Amino acid sequence: MRGGEGFLTENELIKKCKKGNREAFNRLFEIYQSQVVNIAYGMLSDREDAYDASQEVFVRVYKNIGSFKEEASFNTWLYRIIANVCSDILRKRQKNSKVISISNMSDEENDMELPDDAPTPEENMELTERQRIVKNAISQLRDEYRIVITMCDIEDMSYDAIADMLGVPKGTVKSRINRARNALKKILIEKRELF
């Protein structure tokens, strides 16, 4: 990369970003873009909204990087921004519609989750249908539950990391995850589509 930004550590990139260096910001964007989109997709269950959210996340990172304290974890700071942006989008959705549906997912989004080594088309169809049902159920959870379920069960983050990122005690995270899983189980049992 021009200017050597490709060889800088994360802390060096952040210091350069704080000074307004666009190359450094572009490198930070390249490093984190797919991670941000994937986390947003897990929270929003909509690919287009996830891309919109990622753009907003990086706008906020660019505007607020000066307030980032370098002794803290950049990942933690970034996840808080992602969680806030996704919560804003979910609140707007709820204002516009009482029911959030992902039934209009494009074929591309359905295919995205299929494993490459699936032995039969029937098994792929069954897996896709189960994923659709689970995503639909997750989309019906309260925002605070949807965020922790995504972070824990989809992104495989630890309770400590989630607590740090959301700025809540670890016990609160455990409680929310437990409630979220119970609520999810209840939704799935009521639908009886997985059984």
Side-chain angles (χ1 to χ4, degrees):
M1 169 169 264
R2 290 193 318 269
E5 267 70 13
F7 303 103
L8 298 175
T9 67
E10 184 179 89
N11 283 341
E12 290 169 332
L13 283 173
I14 290 166
K15 284 177 183 171
K16 285 184 169 267
C17 287
K18 286 184 169 188
K19 292 178 181 174
N21 184 310
R22 282 202 178 253
E23 286 286 322
F25 181 78
N26 289 342
R27 181 68 186 124
L28 214 56
F29 176 82
E30 289 170 8
I31 292 168
Y32 285 99
Q33 181 187 23
S34 63
Q35 187 177 6
V36 170
V37 170
N38 288 337
I39 293 166
Y41 181 65
M43 292 181 186
L44 300 171
S45 300
D46 181 276
R47 181 63 56 190
E48 200 171 304
D49 282 351
Y51 280 110
D52 290 345
S54 73
Q55 293 302 314
E56 178 60 24
V57 165
F58 285 107
V59 166
R60 291 189 191 184
V61 168
Y62 186 78
K63 286 181 178 177
N64 298 301
I65 192 93
S67 67
F68 171 68
K69 294 176 176 57
E70 292 167 46
E71 62 272 8
S73 161
F74 181 73
N75 259 343
T76 299
W77 187 72
L78 181 63
Y79 276 102
R80 283 188 186 152
I81 294 173
I82 297 167
N84 288 337
V85 168
C86 289
S87 290
D88 291 346
I89 290 171
L90 291 169
R91 273 193 291 277
K92 285 177 188 170
R93 273 191 200 170
Q94 288 176 343
K95 279 184 182 177
N96 295 335
S97 173
K98 296 272 183 194
V99 177
I100 299 171
S101 173
I102 62 168
S103 60
N104 294 329
M105 284 177 23
S106 69
D107 289 340
E108 179 184 316
E109 289 169 323
N110 281 327
D111 292 341
M112 177 183 71
E113 300 291 330
L114 296 176
D116 292 336
D117 59 353
T120 67
E122 292 80 14
E123 288 173 349
N124 282 340
M125 255 175 58
E126 183 180 331
L127 175 62
T128 301
E129 181 63 11
R130 284 177 182 250
Q131 289 171 336
R132 183 193 66 76
I133 292 165
V134 171
K135 284 179 186 175
N136 188 34
I138 290 172
S139 75
Q140 295 175 45
L141 296 174
R142 291 171 34 185
D143 292 354
E144 64 190 34
Y145 295 164
R146 186 182 326 195
I147 289 170
V148 294
I149 277 280
T150 299
M151 289 179 158
C152 181
D153 294 338
I154 297 173
E155 290 300 315
D156 201 28
M157 294 169 58
S158 70
Y159 290 157
D160 288 326
I162 297 169
D164 192 31
M165 288 176 199
L166 297 180
V168 297
K170 184 176 175 180
T172 302
V173 170
K174 287 182 178 181
S175 174
R176 284 183 188 173
I177 288 171
N178 188 43
R179 289 184 189 142
R181 287 176 179 158
N182 286 336
L184 192 57
K185 183 178 176 183
K186 184 178 178 188
I187 291 167
L188 292 172
I189 288 173
E190 283 175 1
K191 288 182 177 281
R192 296 185 187 279
E193 291 181 347
L194 286 179
F195 307 102

